[in-house]
Amino acid sequence: MPDQAASDEALPEKSRFAEVPPLVEPIDPDVDLRVPAQRSELVRHHGPVLGVIALGGGLGGLARYGLAEVLPTAPGGFPWATFLTNVAGCFLIGVLMVLVTETWQAHRLVRPFLGVGILGGFTTFSTYAVEIRGLLAPDTVPLAFGYLAGTLVAALLAVLLGHAVTRKAVSGVAAR
Amino acid sequence: MTVLLIFLGATVGAPLRYLTDQAVQSRHQSLFPWGTFTVNLFGCLVLGGLAGAGSAVPAPLFALLGTGFCGALTTYSTFGYETVRLTERRAYFAAAANVVVSLAAGVGGAAFAYQTVHALVG
């Protein structure tokens, strides 16, 4: 990874996010998968996590389908359903992550269910990419790039907005 | 029926995204979110191929594999969240690289799969 050194350098020694757990939590590194008894331990421990992710993903996928049925995209038109899905999902992940990492002692299945399951199943990158490909026709190239960039900018701003309003709401509650 | 197929596809896609992310992220130390990148690229290839097959793919199969499985396997919320987190950690290069590489590979992969399958089926 050529950018790794540069990225690590860019990290401040003690950032204000130092207390936030790293993006990746190891999945039971002490479990030896070659030992059947330890395998069953992994299933017992991770079974509920995978279960709530599956259920949340199913529900999120249905919500995405419902929105697409309500807002069908005309051929060569702007895919509003996917746009709204992805931007709303990004806003909600911003809200959720502030709550579960900074303020709320949530049950260990809350984040897998709501974040990985529902919001992950609700938002989609594949439909977005395939829709952009479909708009890359001579007449609609500007729309393709507008959709590509518009979703990206709106989604990233939505994460930040979700962070900001939740931090503000939480500090308002704490100050009272 | 369509609703059930989408639900079933999504109940497989979402946990597979989680397991892939865990497996990929545990194998390297870099800040780059390779796990999310992997599932998003794979989902774009599969959905691009399904779209390229056109009417050769029956509607129920598209609901199961396309709308359900690929839709839930891939994610924009995690992509957006991880990008914002990289900027918060001042890893601006990694954040920009994540955006550029994910978009180029996702759209390129979808177009490649679409054209390939379209040529084979058509």
Side-chain angles (χ1 to χ4, degrees):
Chain A
M1 265 299 292
D3 71 310
Q4 191 191 333
S7 308
D8 287 344
E9 255 169 47
L11 280 177
E13 287 243 299
K14 264 214 178 260
S15 82
R16 63 201 173 93
F17 299 99
E19 74 277 11
V20 178
L23 281 173
V24 185
E25 291 98 32
I27 162 171
D28 270 357
D30 61 325
V31 170
D32 188 340
L33 290 173
R34 288 165 298 186
V35 182
Q38 294 197 13
R39 264 207 303 273
S40 70
E41 181 195 324
L42 196 68
V43 169
R44 213 167 37 246
H45 188 75
H46 292 282
V49 174
L50 290 175
V52 297
I53 289 173
L55 177 63
L59 296 173
L62 286 185
R64 170 166 41 78
Y65 171 69
L67 192 57
E69 287 290 290
V70 173
L71 282 176
T73 302
F78 190 90
W80 282 110
T82 312
F83 175 84
L84 290 175
T85 296
N86 285 336
V87 175
C90 281
F91 174 79
L92 292 173
I93 197 101
V95 171
L96 178 72
M97 294 312 284
V98 170
L99 289 178
V100 298
T101 61
E102 296 176 23
T103 54
W104 178 24
Q105 286 296 321
H107 186 275
R108 72 180 182 94
L109 293 180
V110 166
R111 182 177 162 185
F113 178 63
L114 296 178
V116 185
I118 290 189
L119 294 180
F122 182 56
T123 62
T124 175
F125 201 89
S126 49
T127 306
Y128 167 72
V130 169
E131 284 166 344
I132 292 169
R133 192 222 67 85
L135 289 172
L136 286 173
D139 293 346
T140 51
V141 167
L143 191 61
F145 283 97
Y147 176 52
L148 185 154
T151 300
L152 176 69
V153 171
L156 296 182
L157 289 177
V159 175
L160 290 171
L161 185 68
H163 273 179
V165 295
T166 311
R167 286 210 179 101
K168 198 169 160 68
V170 165
S171 66
V173 170
R176 243 187 284 151
Chain B
M1 186 61 182
T2 304
V3 167
L4 185 65
L5 290 170
I6 291 170
F7 183 81
L8 281 178
T11 56
V12 175
L16 186 62
R17 166 163 41 80
Y18 173 77
L19 291 173
T20 306
D21 189 52
Q22 297 283 348
V24 171
Q25 290 304 97
S26 63
R27 275 165 181 73
H28 67 84
Q29 295 293 317
S30 87
L31 282 173
F32 194 91
W34 286 113
T36 306
F37 173 81
T38 304
V39 288
N40 278 348
L41 176 57
F42 182 71
C44 287
L45 287 169
V46 175
L47 190 67
L50 286 170
S55 56
V57 176
L61 188 63
F62 191 88
L64 179 74
L65 291 181
T67 314
F69 177 76
C70 289
L73 177 71
T74 62
T75 172
Y76 216 93
S77 51
T78 306
F79 165 71
Y81 175 71
E82 286 171 343
T83 305
V84 166
R85 257 197 66 105
L86 287 171
T87 62
E88 285 181 338
R89 298 172 79 180
R90 298 184 204 171
Y92 299 117
F93 181 80
N98 186 37
V99 166
V100 172
V101 172
S102 296
L103 289 179
V107 177
F112 170 76
Y114 183 99
Q115 297 301 344
T116 305
V117 173
H118 195 65
L120 290 174
V121 173

